[in-house]
Amino acid sequence: GGAGRTMGDYPGGPIEPVRGGVEEIGERLASFAAVGASHLQLVVDPITSASLEALAPVLDACRRRLAAG
């Protein structure tokens, strides 16, 4: 696994990565829309083809959650 990427000054402490299964992560990403986010920037760690391919079902789960309201 990766070590995380912290950049900038975060006075509130470390930012924890989103972890879990496909549906759990998809739901968590969709939850940001409920608090007003219209765009997300995702950082996968490690940045590999396999990581990006593994992200596809998570994004599908996120889209399903958003469509369900």
Side-chain angles (χ1 to χ4, degrees):
R5 294 172 174 23
T6 302
M7 297 173 57
D9 182 19
Y10 298 103
I15 298 173
E16 292 297 320
V18 176
R19 292 187 172 107
V22 168
E23 294 298 323
E24 184 179 16
I25 295 172
E27 186 170 325
R28 176 74 188 276
L29 296 179
S31 74
F32 290 107
V35 294
S38 61
H39 294 81
L40 295 177
Q41 182 175 343
L42 304 178
V43 176
V44 295
D45 189 5
I47 301 173
T48 63
S49 295
S51 294
L52 296 176
E53 289 170 8
L55 188 58
V58 170
L59 298 178
D60 289 338
C62 178
R63 289 184 192 103
R64 284 192 303 274
R65 179 70 171 107
L66 290 171

